[in-house]
Structures are given as structure tokens and as C-alpha cells.
Amino acid sequence: MACDLCDGPGGVVLWRDERLRVVRVADPDYPAFLRVVWNAHVKEMTDLSADESEYFMRAVFATEGVLRNLLNPEKMNLASLGNQTPHLHWHVIPRFRDDRHFPNPVWAPAAREGDTQREIQSRTVADETLQRELAGKLGSALR
Amino acid sequence: MACDLCDGPGGVVLWRDERLRVVRVADPDYPAFLRVVWNAHVKEMTDLSADESEYFMRAVFATEGVLRNLLNPEKMNLASLGNQTPHLHWHVIPRFRDDRHFPNPVWAPAAREGDTQREIQSRTVADETLQRELAGKLGSALR
């Protein structure tokens, strides 16, 4: 069966090891929307071993830490859904009071017009910066 | 500041220890929608210690395991959002191909009419059964 996360990286790859990768999703409303993707095609967290799921979550939380440090969001949103792409991936989304859906989930109908270019710009982090910060944080979290 | 998850349990309490509780949410479309709630008022997973966040996730995955065993869902959805109630809680939602929002997240607009009573009934588990299964699984996962 064709799977988007087997056939491609699923976004701009910012960090990667043998088990997982961190990618930036191209979402115009959420420039710092990252995903942590398990490299192997596995459907549910409880299909992983305890060691694997713990490793995965340490990567997710390290990614959350990087985004909090860089952007100081109002709230972090974490989700593993995968109804359409049943290949484990965690959405890691920094949320802001005036973003398009706040305080609703990003999958809900928009709460307001899309952000202005100025707002989007203020929440955009260069890939090089994300790569550097993720390398530091994941490197130590996954040791 | 008033907080719904400090002022009340947040649902029917199915399991509880000093650190966290598992509750059933009263959602008419999703009778087996559970939440794992951290007892203390903490905002983000990265505000917990590494030991605490690992403990929390072991409880979330044990809860997922119980629901998978009992209901064999098409997919499990896990999410920590908290934009409206910034007190850590994990949504643990078994999803089915013909549920009201599938394959969209439950927070998206409905994909179809609500399920029939017969469908809802087929996805309803007695609280006593949930309590017994959670006690077994969480008891061993959190030892």
C-alpha cells in the first residue's frame, strides 16, 4: 500500500537518525509546525516496544523544548492521529493567541482570518536555526 | 485562576493514583473517549521532569492498549492540546471508519451524520469493564 511517509520524508528534514526524523511541515498558517516521524511503517504507539516508544517521546519532548525556547508560544499542541496516514508521526505545533485557530485545535474551523505577513514572520524560524537547536537538544535527549 | 481540571475530575474517574487519573469523557459520539489527566496543574509536558513525563506516557499508552484490546478500533488518536484548559491532559480516542468525523480529527467538522444508536452501542464499554482493565494494565505499566 502506498504511504506518504514511506515514499518521502513528509517535509523539510531538520534532524534524522536511524529510528526517526524531525521535519518541518509546509503550513502557511503555522511556519514552525514540526512533525516527528518514525522511520519504519508502524501504525500505533502500542505497536512499538516500550524502549522504542520512550525513545520516540523523548524526541517529541526535545522538539517541543526547542520550539518553546525559540518562540515562547502560548501553548504547545502534541498529537498522534494518523487516520489518513497510519504511519506513526507526532504533530508538534506551537500555538499563539492570535493564530488562525486559537483556542481551537488547528484542525477545527478557523477562528479568524489568517495571520498577517508580519505575524507569520515573527513565528518563522530559519531551518538552519531549527537544525542547530534540534541537533543539540535531541543529541543529548537521545543519548 | 479557575481551572476545570483542578476544580473537578473532568469526567467519570476510572482509575487514579497520586500523580494522574483516567476519566471517561461524556461525548455522545465517542462513548469510549478517555482522558489521562495529570493531577497537578502543570501546563506543558516539558514542564514535567523526565521521570514524570515518562510515567505519564506509560499511563497514556496503557490506556491506549486497554481500548485497543476492548474495541479493536481502526486507529487510535492521542493528543495533548490544552489551549482552553492549560492543565495537562491527554485525549485517548478510539476511532472507527464510520464514526462521525473519520478520517478527520474529532475536532474537525463532521464528515457524516452522527452514528446510529446501534453503532454507538457497539462502541460502548461498561465503566466497570474499563475500570477492571485499566487497573490491570496501569498497575503493571506503572510499577
Side-chain angles (χ1 to χ4, degrees), chain B residues 84-127:
Chain B
Q84 312 209 33
T85 305
H87 175 140
L88 283 169
H89 59 282
W90 281 90
H91 304 279
V92 182
I93 318 167
R95 301 297 309 277
F96 300 88
R97 282 198 170 274
D98 55 355
D99 73 32
R100 193 163 184 196
H101 300 81
F102 201 90
N104 300 319
V106 299
W107 306 281
R112 62 190 61 82
E113 290 296 305
D115 298 334
T116 64
Q117 282 309 106
R118 180 190 295 269
E119 286 163 346
I120 292 290
Q121 193 57 39
S122 77
R123 292 166 198 160
T124 300
V125 182
D127 286 344

Short mmCIF file of all heavy atoms in Angstrom, two decimals, chain B residues 84-127:
data_model
loop_
_atom_site.label_atom_id
_atom_site.label_comp_id
_atom_site.label_asym_id
_atom_site.label_seq_id
_atom_site.Cartn_x
_atom_site.Cartn_y
_atom_site.Cartn_z
N GLN B 84 -7.54 25.66 25.78
CA GLN B 84 -8.61 26.25 26.59
C GLN B 84 -8.43 25.91 28.07
O GLN B 84 -8.83 26.68 28.93
CB GLN B 84 -9.97 25.76 26.10
CG GLN B 84 -10.08 25.88 24.57
CD GLN B 84 -11.50 26.09 24.09
OE1 GLN B 84 -12.31 26.72 24.75
NE2 GLN B 84 -11.79 25.59 22.90
N THR B 85 -7.87 24.75 28.35
CA THR B 85 -7.64 24.32 29.72
C THR B 85 -6.17 23.89 29.83
O THR B 85 -5.83 22.73 29.61
CB THR B 85 -8.57 23.13 30.08
OG1 THR B 85 -9.94 23.53 29.82
CG2 THR B 85 -8.45 22.76 31.54
N PRO B 86 -5.30 24.86 30.14
CA PRO B 86 -3.85 24.57 30.12
C PRO B 86 -3.40 23.82 31.37
O PRO B 86 -2.55 24.28 32.13
CB PRO B 86 -3.23 25.95 30.00
CG PRO B 86 -4.22 26.88 30.63
CD PRO B 86 -5.58 26.27 30.39
N HIS B 87 -3.99 22.67 31.54
CA HIS B 87 -3.68 21.74 32.64
C HIS B 87 -3.54 20.40 31.94
O HIS B 87 -4.49 19.90 31.33
CB HIS B 87 -4.87 21.77 33.63
CG HIS B 87 -4.79 20.78 34.76
ND1 HIS B 87 -5.17 21.11 36.05
CD2 HIS B 87 -4.42 19.48 34.81
CE1 HIS B 87 -5.02 20.04 36.83
NE2 HIS B 87 -4.57 19.05 36.10
N LEU B 88 -2.35 19.82 32.01
CA LEU B 88 -2.00 18.67 31.16
C LEU B 88 -3.04 17.56 31.19
O LEU B 88 -3.37 17.03 32.24
CB LEU B 88 -0.65 18.09 31.58
CG LEU B 88 0.60 18.85 31.14
CD1 LEU B 88 1.84 18.31 31.86
CD2 LEU B 88 0.78 18.83 29.63
N HIS B 89 -3.52 17.20 30.01
CA HIS B 89 -4.44 16.07 29.86
C HIS B 89 -4.28 15.52 28.45
O HIS B 89 -4.15 16.27 27.48
CB HIS B 89 -5.89 16.49 30.11
CG HIS B 89 -6.42 17.59 29.22
ND1 HIS B 89 -6.10 18.91 29.42
CD2 HIS B 89 -7.23 17.56 28.13
CE1 HIS B 89 -6.70 19.66 28.49
NE2 HIS B 89 -7.38 18.85 27.69
N TRP B 90 -4.27 14.20 28.36
CA TRP B 90 -4.14 13.52 27.07
C TRP B 90 -5.48 12.96 26.63
O TRP B 90 -6.12 12.19 27.37
CB TRP B 90 -3.12 12.37 27.17
CG TRP B 90 -1.72 12.88 27.10
CD1 TRP B 90 -0.93 13.26 28.15
CD2 TRP B 90 -0.95 13.09 25.92
NE1 TRP B 90 0.28 13.70 27.68
CE2 TRP B 90 0.31 13.61 26.32
CE3 TRP B 90 -1.19 12.89 24.55
CZ2 TRP B 90 1.31 13.92 25.40
CZ3 TRP B 90 -0.19 13.21 23.64
CH2 TRP B 90 1.04 13.72 24.07
N HIS B 91 -5.92 13.33 25.46
CA HIS B 91 -7.09 12.73 24.84
C HIS B 91 -6.68 11.37 24.26
O HIS B 91 -5.70 11.30 23.52
CB HIS B 91 -7.60 13.61 23.69
CG HIS B 91 -7.89 15.02 24.09
ND1 HIS B 91 -9.07 15.39 24.69
CD2 HIS B 91 -7.18 16.16 23.97
CE1 HIS B 91 -9.07 16.70 24.91
NE2 HIS B 91 -7.92 17.21 24.49
N VAL B 92 -7.43 10.34 24.58
CA VAL B 92 -7.15 8.99 24.08
C VAL B 92 -8.44 8.50 23.44
O VAL B 92 -9.41 8.17 24.12
CB VAL B 92 -6.70 8.06 25.23
CG1 VAL B 92 -6.37 6.67 24.69
CG2 VAL B 92 -5.49 8.65 25.97
N ILE B 93 -8.46 8.51 22.10
CA ILE B 93 -9.73 8.36 21.38
C ILE B 93 -9.67 7.22 20.37
O ILE B 93 -8.92 7.30 19.39
CB ILE B 93 -10.07 9.67 20.60
CG1 ILE B 93 -9.77 10.91 21.45
CG2 ILE B 93 -11.53 9.63 20.12
CD1 ILE B 93 -9.79 12.22 20.64
N PRO B 94 -10.44 6.17 20.59
CA PRO B 94 -10.51 5.12 19.58
C PRO B 94 -11.36 5.59 18.40
O PRO B 94 -12.47 6.10 18.59
CB PRO B 94 -11.17 3.95 20.31
CG PRO B 94 -11.88 4.54 21.48
CD PRO B 94 -11.29 5.89 21.77
N ARG B 95 -10.85 5.41 17.19
CA ARG B 95 -11.55 5.88 16.01
C ARG B 95 -12.00 4.72 15.12
O ARG B 95 -11.33 3.68 15.07
CB ARG B 95 -10.62 6.81 15.20
CG ARG B 95 -10.13 8.05 15.98
CD ARG B 95 -11.27 8.97 16.39
NE ARG B 95 -12.12 9.30 15.25
CZ ARG B 95 -11.83 10.27 14.37
NH1 ARG B 95 -10.74 10.99 14.50
NH2 ARG B 95 -12.65 10.52 13.36
N PHE B 96 -13.11 4.91 14.44
CA PHE B 96 -13.71 3.88 13.59
C PHE B 96 -14.04 4.48 12.24
O PHE B 96 -14.37 5.67 12.14
CB PHE B 96 -14.97 3.33 14.28
CG PHE B 96 -14.67 2.72 15.61
CD1 PHE B 96 -14.67 3.50 16.77
CD2 PHE B 96 -14.33 1.38 15.71
CE1 PHE B 96 -14.36 2.94 18.00
CE2 PHE B 96 -14.02 0.81 16.94
CZ PHE B 96 -14.04 1.59 18.08
N ARG B 97 -14.01 3.64 11.21
CA ARG B 97 -14.19 4.12 9.83
C ARG B 97 -15.49 4.87 9.63
O ARG B 97 -15.59 5.75 8.78
CB ARG B 97 -14.13 2.95 8.83
CG ARG B 97 -12.73 2.50 8.58
CD ARG B 97 -12.59 1.67 7.30
NE ARG B 97 -11.18 1.48 7.03
CZ ARG B 97 -10.44 2.34 6.35
NH1 ARG B 97 -10.97 3.43 5.84
NH2 ARG B 97 -9.16 2.11 6.16
N ASP B 98 -16.51 4.48 10.40
CA ASP B 98 -17.80 5.13 10.19
C ASP B 98 -18.18 6.05 11.36
O ASP B 98 -19.35 6.37 11.53
CB ASP B 98 -18.90 4.08 9.95
CG ASP B 98 -18.95 3.06 11.08
OD1 ASP B 98 -18.09 3.13 11.98
OD2 ASP B 98 -19.86 2.20 11.07
N ASP B 99 -17.17 6.47 12.14
CA ASP B 99 -17.54 7.40 13.22
C ASP B 99 -17.81 8.78 12.62
O ASP B 99 -17.62 9.01 11.42
CB ASP B 99 -16.52 7.39 14.36
CG ASP B 99 -15.18 8.06 14.06
OD1 ASP B 99 -15.14 9.03 13.27
OD2 ASP B 99 -14.18 7.63 14.65
N ARG B 100 -18.23 9.71 13.43
CA ARG B 100 -18.79 10.95 12.89
C ARG B 100 -17.79 11.81 12.11
O ARG B 100 -18.19 12.58 11.24
CB ARG B 100 -19.37 11.78 14.05
CG ARG B 100 -20.23 12.91 13.53
CD ARG B 100 -21.12 13.46 14.59
NE ARG B 100 -21.98 14.47 13.99
CZ ARG B 100 -22.67 15.36 14.67
NH1 ARG B 100 -22.61 15.39 15.97
NH2 ARG B 100 -23.42 16.25 14.04
N HIS B 101 -16.49 11.68 12.42
CA HIS B 101 -15.51 12.56 11.78
C HIS B 101 -14.48 11.84 10.91
O HIS B 101 -13.72 12.49 10.21
CB HIS B 101 -14.75 13.37 12.84
CG HIS B 101 -15.63 14.23 13.69
ND1 HIS B 101 -16.34 13.73 14.76
CD2 HIS B 101 -15.93 15.55 13.62
CE1 HIS B 101 -17.04 14.71 15.33
NE2 HIS B 101 -16.81 15.83 14.65
N PHE B 102 -14.44 10.51 10.98
CA PHE B 102 -13.39 9.76 10.28
C PHE B 102 -13.36 10.08 8.80
O PHE B 102 -14.43 10.13 8.19
CB PHE B 102 -13.58 8.25 10.48
CG PHE B 102 -12.33 7.46 10.26
CD1 PHE B 102 -11.46 7.20 11.30
CD2 PHE B 102 -12.01 7.03 8.98
CE1 PHE B 102 -10.29 6.49 11.08
CE2 PHE B 102 -10.83 6.32 8.76
CZ PHE B 102 -9.97 6.05 9.81
N PRO B 103 -12.19 10.27 8.16
CA PRO B 103 -10.84 10.15 8.72
C PRO B 103 -10.30 11.47 9.29
O PRO B 103 -9.09 11.58 9.52
CB PRO B 103 -10.01 9.73 7.49
CG PRO B 103 -10.65 10.51 6.38
CD PRO B 103 -12.14 10.56 6.73
N ASN B 104 -11.16 12.42 9.53
CA ASN B 104 -10.68 13.69 10.07
C ASN B 104 -10.54 13.60 11.59
O ASN B 104 -11.14 12.74 12.22
CB ASN B 104 -11.66 14.80 9.71
CG ASN B 104 -11.80 14.95 8.20
OD1 ASN B 104 -10.81 14.87 7.47
ND2 ASN B 104 -13.02 15.12 7.73
N PRO B 105 -9.77 14.55 12.17
CA PRO B 105 -9.71 14.60 13.63
C PRO B 105 -11.10 14.89 14.20
O PRO B 105 -11.96 15.47 13.51
CB PRO B 105 -8.76 15.78 13.89
CG PRO B 105 -7.93 15.90 12.64
CD PRO B 105 -8.87 15.53 11.53
N VAL B 106 -11.35 14.50 15.43
CA VAL B 106 -12.67 14.70 16.03
C VAL B 106 -13.00 16.18 16.20
O VAL B 106 -14.15 16.54 16.42
CB VAL B 106 -12.81 14.00 17.41
CG1 VAL B 106 -12.61 12.50 17.25
CG2 VAL B 106 -11.84 14.57 18.44
N TRP B 107 -11.99 17.04 16.09
CA TRP B 107 -12.22 18.49 16.24
C TRP B 107 -12.57 19.16 14.92
O TRP B 107 -12.90 20.34 14.88
CB TRP B 107 -10.98 19.16 16.85
CG TRP B 107 -10.59 18.50 18.14
CD1 TRP B 107 -11.18 18.68 19.36
CD2 TRP B 107 -9.57 17.51 18.33
NE1 TRP B 107 -10.58 17.88 20.29
CE2 TRP B 107 -9.60 17.16 19.70
CE3 TRP B 107 -8.63 16.90 17.49
CZ2 TRP B 107 -8.72 16.21 20.25
CZ3 TRP B 107 -7.76 15.96 18.03
CH2 TRP B 107 -7.81 15.63 19.39
N ALA B 108 -12.47 18.42 13.83
CA ALA B 108 -12.79 18.96 12.51
C ALA B 108 -14.31 18.91 12.31
O ALA B 108 -15.02 18.27 13.08
CB ALA B 108 -12.08 18.12 11.44
N PRO B 109 -14.81 19.58 11.29
CA PRO B 109 -16.24 19.45 11.00
C PRO B 109 -16.60 17.98 10.78
O PRO B 109 -15.78 17.19 10.29
CB PRO B 109 -16.40 20.27 9.71
CG PRO B 109 -15.27 21.24 9.74
CD PRO B 109 -14.12 20.52 10.38
N ALA B 110 -17.82 17.62 11.13
CA ALA B 110 -18.26 16.23 10.99
C ALA B 110 -18.20 15.80 9.53
O ALA B 110 -18.46 16.58 8.61
CB ALA B 110 -19.68 16.08 11.52
N ALA B 111 -17.84 14.55 9.30
CA ALA B 111 -17.76 14.01 7.94
C ALA B 111 -19.10 13.42 7.51
O ALA B 111 -19.34 13.20 6.33
CB ALA B 111 -16.67 12.95 7.87
N ARG B 112 -19.95 13.13 8.48
CA ARG B 112 -21.25 12.50 8.20
C ARG B 112 -22.15 12.70 9.40
O ARG B 112 -21.75 13.23 10.43
CB ARG B 112 -21.06 11.00 7.91
CG ARG B 112 -20.47 10.20 9.07
CD ARG B 112 -20.09 8.79 8.65
NE ARG B 112 -19.06 8.79 7.61
CZ ARG B 112 -17.75 8.93 7.86
NH1 ARG B 112 -17.29 9.05 9.08
NH2 ARG B 112 -16.88 8.94 6.89
N GLU B 113 -23.39 12.26 9.26
CA GLU B 113 -24.32 12.31 10.39
C GLU B 113 -23.78 11.50 11.56
O GLU B 113 -22.96 10.61 11.37
CB GLU B 113 -25.67 11.70 9.96
CG GLU B 113 -26.44 12.54 8.99
CD GLU B 113 -26.86 13.88 9.61
OE1 GLU B 113 -27.51 13.85 10.66
OE2 GLU B 113 -26.54 14.92 9.02
N GLY B 114 -24.25 11.79 12.73
CA GLY B 114 -23.84 11.03 13.90
C GLY B 114 -24.21 9.57 13.75
O GLY B 114 -25.08 9.19 12.97
N ASP B 115 -23.50 8.72 14.49
CA ASP B 115 -23.75 7.29 14.41
C ASP B 115 -25.14 6.94 14.90
O ASP B 115 -25.74 7.66 15.68
CB ASP B 115 -22.72 6.55 15.27
CG ASP B 115 -21.32 6.80 14.75
OD1 ASP B 115 -21.17 7.08 13.55
OD2 ASP B 115 -20.39 6.71 15.55
N THR B 116 -25.61 5.83 14.45
CA THR B 116 -26.88 5.32 14.97
C THR B 116 -26.68 4.83 16.39
O THR B 116 -25.57 4.57 16.83
CB THR B 116 -27.38 4.14 14.12
OG1 THR B 116 -26.45 3.07 14.26
CG2 THR B 116 -27.51 4.52 12.65
N GLN B 117 -27.77 4.65 17.08
CA GLN B 117 -27.70 4.12 18.44
C GLN B 117 -27.03 2.75 18.45
O GLN B 117 -26.31 2.41 19.37
CB GLN B 117 -29.11 4.02 19.04
CG GLN B 117 -29.64 5.35 19.51
CD GLN B 117 -28.67 6.08 20.43
OE1 GLN B 117 -28.03 7.06 20.06
NE2 GLN B 117 -28.51 5.57 21.65
N ARG B 118 -27.30 1.98 17.38
CA ARG B 118 -26.70 0.64 17.32
C ARG B 118 -25.17 0.73 17.22
O ARG B 118 -24.45 -0.02 17.88
CB ARG B 118 -27.25 -0.12 16.11
CG ARG B 118 -26.69 -1.53 15.96
CD ARG B 118 -27.09 -2.13 14.61
NE ARG B 118 -28.52 -2.32 14.50
CZ ARG B 118 -29.15 -3.44 14.85
NH1 ARG B 118 -28.47 -4.46 15.32
NH2 ARG B 118 -30.44 -3.54 14.71
N GLU B 119 -24.68 1.65 16.40
CA GLU B 119 -23.23 1.80 16.26
C GLU B 119 -22.61 2.28 17.57
O GLU B 119 -21.56 1.80 18.00
CB GLU B 119 -22.90 2.77 15.13
CG GLU B 119 -23.13 2.17 13.76
CD GLU B 119 -23.22 3.21 12.65
OE1 GLU B 119 -23.36 4.43 12.95
OE2 GLU B 119 -23.14 2.82 11.48
N ILE B 120 -23.27 3.29 18.17
CA ILE B 120 -22.75 3.82 19.42
C ILE B 120 -22.70 2.72 20.48
O ILE B 120 -21.72 2.56 21.21
CB ILE B 120 -23.64 4.99 19.92
CG1 ILE B 120 -23.51 6.20 18.98
CG2 ILE B 120 -23.30 5.37 21.36
CD1 ILE B 120 -22.19 6.91 19.04
N GLN B 121 -23.75 1.92 20.49
CA GLN B 121 -23.82 0.84 21.48
C GLN B 121 -22.67 -0.14 21.31
O GLN B 121 -22.07 -0.59 22.27
CB GLN B 121 -25.18 0.12 21.32
CG GLN B 121 -25.50 -0.82 22.47
CD GLN B 121 -25.50 -0.12 23.81
OE1 GLN B 121 -25.97 1.01 23.93
NE2 GLN B 121 -24.92 -0.76 24.82
N SER B 122 -22.32 -0.41 20.03
CA SER B 122 -21.25 -1.38 19.75
C SER B 122 -19.90 -0.86 20.22
O SER B 122 -18.94 -1.62 20.32
CB SER B 122 -21.22 -1.71 18.26
OG SER B 122 -20.60 -0.66 17.54
N ARG B 123 -19.80 0.45 20.45
CA ARG B 123 -18.52 1.03 20.87
C ARG B 123 -18.55 1.49 22.31
O ARG B 123 -17.70 2.24 22.75
CB ARG B 123 -18.18 2.24 19.99
CG ARG B 123 -17.89 1.80 18.58
CD ARG B 123 -17.90 2.96 17.65
NE ARG B 123 -18.03 2.48 16.30
CZ ARG B 123 -18.45 3.22 15.29
NH1 ARG B 123 -18.77 4.49 15.49
NH2 ARG B 123 -18.54 2.71 14.09
N THR B 124 -19.56 1.07 23.03
CA THR B 124 -19.68 1.47 24.42
C THR B 124 -19.19 0.33 25.31
O THR B 124 -19.54 -0.83 25.09
CB THR B 124 -21.16 1.78 24.75
OG1 THR B 124 -21.59 2.85 23.90
CG2 THR B 124 -21.32 2.20 26.21
N VAL B 125 -18.35 0.66 26.24
CA VAL B 125 -17.85 -0.33 27.18
C VAL B 125 -18.31 0.10 28.57
O VAL B 125 -18.24 1.28 28.91
CB VAL B 125 -16.31 -0.41 27.15
CG1 VAL B 125 -15.81 -1.48 28.10
CG2 VAL B 125 -15.81 -0.67 25.73
N ALA B 126 -18.79 -0.83 29.35
CA ALA B 126 -19.25 -0.51 30.71
C ALA B 126 -18.09 0.05 31.54
O ALA B 126 -16.95 -0.41 31.42
CB ALA B 126 -19.81 -1.76 31.37
N ASP B 127 -18.39 1.03 32.36
CA ASP B 127 -17.36 1.61 33.22
C ASP B 127 -16.67 0.56 34.08
O ASP B 127 -15.46 0.63 34.32
CB ASP B 127 -17.97 2.70 34.12
CG ASP B 127 -18.29 3.97 33.34
OD1 ASP B 127 -17.77 4.13 32.21
OD2 ASP B 127 -19.06 4.80 33.85
#
